[in-house]
Amino acid sequence: MPSTGHELPLLLLRDAPAVLACLVRDAFGVELGKGLAESSAAFHELEPAAYVADLVLVGPDVVVVVEVQRARDERKRATWPLYLASAHARHGRASWLVVVALDRAVSAWARAPIATFQGGALTPLVIGPDEIPRVRDAEVARAAPELAVLSAMAHGRNGPEVVEIGAAGLIAAAEVGRRDEDRGKLYFDAVLDALADLARAALEASMKVEGHEYRSEFARRYVAEGREEGRADGLRTAVRVLCDALGIAWTDGRERAIAALDAHALEALCARIQRERRWPD
């Protein structure tokens, strides 16, 4: 599985370059346009040494160099102007540097202007947690699954909405899994890895991608341990969260119904709700 801190954001943006264009437009008012497609990310100097950016996207009128930054690295930061100048020289069009930094402190560091040429400076466009929306709605997650997964990665560690954000991310992974099973599983695990422990325990114990087995170590451990009654409280929480994510009204009668179920029956209920997207008759 790719590193959730570095390769996963790049994979999401490769799959859906339009997500990057929307984030940049909403955060900075910069229109990157439609039709972005991946291009070679290697930039060569006159000597044999090569510098390789994380991702380069080329559109009809723009070229976008994308860097994912997990930690402060002044040597890496010094290469960003080279990437941008090389991209401009190669493609001959407006060029932008976008840095994705899911850590708030790293995103603040990346925003500082970089002194460059002729007394000028390069100011990266930084997509940090504040620029990534908190996707909680199931329909939004299905319509923009890559954005929902990125939202879970950016916001799944803290805050009052982490369970709802996690549920939306898992719904997004299920949506992708209908088209590409391996990619859906990868996104599913990425969301689980991103969540805080309590949110992950509630969601991972119940939500399955229409019969796909979990791949994460936590889930394998849970399955191996069995479905003892001690997990029932977490599963009941997961039923409530899943219904909320899918827009299924919660009633006192449904609360009484889950109170009477054991862990095995609660897990089956969660799987059926996920599959049918309604409360079973």
Side-chain angles (χ1 to χ4, degrees):
M1 175 179 172
S3 161
T4 56
H6 190 268
E7 284 83 0
L8 242 300
L10 294 172
L11 180 61
L12 293 167
L13 297 177
R14 284 191 180 98
D15 284 352
V19 167
L20 181 70
C22 289
L23 291 172
V24 169
R25 180 198 63 209
D26 293 345
F28 308 107
V30 175
E31 291 287 352
L32 299 179
K34 299 179 180 179
L36 292 175
E38 186 175 2
S39 179
S40 171
F43 301 114
H44 296 270
E45 295 184 302
L46 294 178
E47 296 183 8
Y51 295 87
V52 181
D54 287 335
L55 176 64
V56 175
L57 300 171
V58 177
D61 302 308
V62 300
V63 56
V64 186
V65 178
V66 182
E67 286 285 293
V68 172
Q69 201 65 29
R70 300 177 61 191
R72 300 185 185 193
D73 186 341
E74 293 297 338
R75 289 180 299 177
K76 181 67 173 176
R77 178 179 164 86
T79 65
W80 292 346
L82 169 64
Y83 292 169
L84 206 57
S86 296
H88 184 270
R90 175 183 297 170
H91 298 284
R93 62 196 72 183
S95 303
W96 297 90
L97 170 67
V98 178
V99 178
V100 179
L102 302 184
D103 179 87
R104 197 173 300 278
V106 175
S107 68
W109 163 81
R111 294 179 205 282
I114 305 168
T116 53
F117 319 114
Q118 303 290 102
L122 168 64
T123 301
L125 304 181
V126 179
I127 301 296
D130 291 339
E131 287 70 39
I132 297 172
R134 296 174 181 267
V135 177
R136 303 180 300 274
D137 181 80
E139 290 308 313
V140 173
R142 293 189 193 98
E146 289 80 12
L147 180 61
V149 174
L150 191 62
S151 171
M153 295 177 68
H155 303 297
R157 292 291 176 189
N158 51 65
E161 301 168 326
V162 293
V163 174
E164 290 85 352
I165 290 170
L170 295 181
I171 289 169
E175 186 70 21
V176 172
R178 292 187 180 89
R179 305 189 303 267
D180 185 330
E181 180 175 333
D182 289 338
R183 186 60 53 87
K185 290 178 178 179
L186 181 63
Y187 287 2
F188 194 82
D189 274 353
V191 173
L192 292 176
D193 287 343
L195 295 178
D197 289 343
L198 290 177
R200 183 171 65 248
L203 291 171
E204 189 172 31
S206 61
M207 295 180 69
K208 291 184 176 180
V209 185
E210 298 192 349
H212 300 170
E213 288 298 321
Y214 298 137
R215 283 185 171 180
S216 72
E217 184 60 34
F218 182 98
R220 285 196 296 268
R221 190 163 62 248
Y222 168 74
V223 172
E225 289 172 356
R227 301 173 176 86
E228 66 270 22
E229 178 60 31
R231 302 299 176 96
D233 286 343
L235 286 162
R236 291 186 183 101
T237 298
V239 171
R240 299 184 193 100
V241 169
L242 182 56
C243 286
D244 182 66
L246 295 176
I248 299 171
W250 194 250
T251 66
D252 291 341
R254 288 170 182 173
E255 185 67 36
R256 290 191 296 271
I258 65 171
L261 299 178
D262 62 16
H264 181 78
L266 286 164
E267 186 182 41
L269 175 62
C270 282
R272 186 172 177 184
I273 292 171
Q274 171 73 0
R275 183 175 62 253
E276 298 179 2
R277 302 186 182 281
R278 64 182 180 85
W279 186 266
D281 296 330

